[in-house]
Amino acid sequence: MKHDMPFPAGEESLLSTHSVYGAPCWVSLTSRDLKITEEFYSAVLGWRWRPAKLGEPFRIALADGVPVAGVAAVAAMWQMAVAWTPYFAVRSADEAVSRAAERGGTAAVGPISLPPGRAALLADRDGATFGIWEGELFSDWETWRASRPAFIRLHTRDAFDAAMFYGGVFDWAEPGGCCEVQYEGDEVVLRSQGDVVARIESGALGAAPDPSIRPHWQVHFAVEDVAACARTAERHGGSVLSLGDDEAVLRDTDGAQFTVTARRFGG
């Protein structure tokens, strides 16, 4: 579920999801042990931490002082899977949930009120989990965009079918909207203000015993040194699933999977 939006103290001018609807607007992680999670991501990604508005089990991760992600130590308490989840900005949480259901998706949580907005956790028709957020974003959203995950990638059964699902839920094809969808080879690419913010690729297997092969959203974080992140992850109890020159797929100490991508290749 929604862990917390990054509202800096004293912020007066806030941006609404109405202005950037359809775009990824936040990523969050469920964790079993907040202290261990903080230590792992501090070592691997250099993050620092501050409390979140929702209480003690919640934290906001900061990169160079800018909020980049939320973490909630609620996986054991709420019997939730440990995973990274992307959130998309919507104009109406109720309408987005209804549109997802009409297209074969399901609602796992919500919509629920989390002032100053509303959130829901959904799954698309192939079972990939994602979140939606209706309400306020912090005013310096462009700074978050520059410090955000490099992008998010959906590994799914059929990229074009998935693009139809998400496009219908988030109005990606609406003239003058926040996002632009392009078909590039066998991928669907989502851009917001010229930047690649999401990719959708085919090939996932719905019944695969390995969850990394089943349809899922993968969160990518931009880093300066991919190999160094992989080595650090292993030293701090994580694991390396794959390692290339420009990208590595890692698992944290809880088993949550994420990708580090060389900053120069982030889009």
Side-chain angles (χ1 to χ4, degrees):
M1 62 181 296
K2 188 69 178 171
H3 297 158
D4 197 31
M5 287 306 300
F7 301 111
E11 193 69 66
E12 295 178 356
S13 177
L14 296 173
L15 179 69
S16 167
T17 53
H18 287 70
S19 302
V20 295
Y21 64 89
C25 66
W26 192 237
V27 293
S28 60
L29 171 68
T30 48
S31 163
R32 294 188 181 93
D33 188 309
L34 195 58
K35 184 176 184 296
I36 292 176
T37 297
E38 287 183 355
E39 291 173 351
F40 177 85
Y41 286 97
S42 293
V44 175
L45 298 178
W47 287 349
R48 298 296 178 262
W49 305 88
R50 71 165 174 81
K53 289 187 175 183
L54 295 181
E56 184 62 28
F58 301 87
R59 293 288 189 275
I60 297 297
L62 307 173
D64 298 324
V66 178
V68 290
V71 178
V74 297
M77 182 192 330
W78 294 347
Q79 298 184 333
M80 296 175 67
V82 172
W84 278 101
T85 302
Y87 280 76
F88 293 82
V90 297
R91 288 174 290 194
S92 167
D94 290 322
E95 182 179 349
V97 170
S98 177
R99 287 185 176 190
E102 290 169 357
R103 290 161 175 80
T106 56
V109 178
I112 58 175
S113 178
L114 293 172
R118 303 179 73 229
L121 187 65
L122 311 176
D124 66 22
R125 52 191 171 213
D126 285 319
T129 301
F130 64 99
I132 57 171
W133 174 253
E134 170 202 350
E136 295 173 349
L137 305 170
F138 58 97
S139 62
D140 198 6
W141 193 68
E142 292 305 322
T143 301
W144 178 80
R145 278 169 53 90
S147 301
R148 59 164 170 69
F151 55 89
I152 55 177
R153 187 189 298 272
L154 175 62
H155 300 270
T156 190
R157 176 186 54 81
D158 184 317
F160 301 104
D161 181 71
M164 294 294 291
F165 172 86
Y166 287 96
V169 174
F170 296 130
D171 283 331
W172 282 350
E174 182 174 312
C178 179
C179 297
E180 176 185 357
V181 178
Q182 295 181 335
Y183 296 88
E184 300 181 3
D186 58 354
E187 279 193 333
V188 178
V189 179
L190 182 69
R191 285 183 168 84
S192 177
Q193 301 183 20
D195 295 326
V196 175
V197 293
R199 295 180 183 272
I200 302 175
E201 66 177 20
S202 303
L205 301 175
D210 184 347
S212 67
I213 300 175
R214 295 197 294 266
H216 69 282
W217 280 99
Q218 185 82 350
V219 177
H220 292 239
F221 295 104
V223 299
E224 299 297 336
D225 190 329
V226 168
C229 286
R231 290 192 299 268
T232 304
E234 288 186 315
R235 285 200 305 269
H236 287 79
S239 57
V240 178
L241 302 183
S242 66
L243 176 62
D245 292 338
D246 305 317
E247 189 170 280
V249 180
L250 310 177
R251 278 199 178 117
D252 67 17
T253 51
D254 255 348
Q257 183 175 305
F258 65 102
T259 299
V260 291
T261 303
R263 193 172 299 279
R264 62 188 182 278
F265 295 104

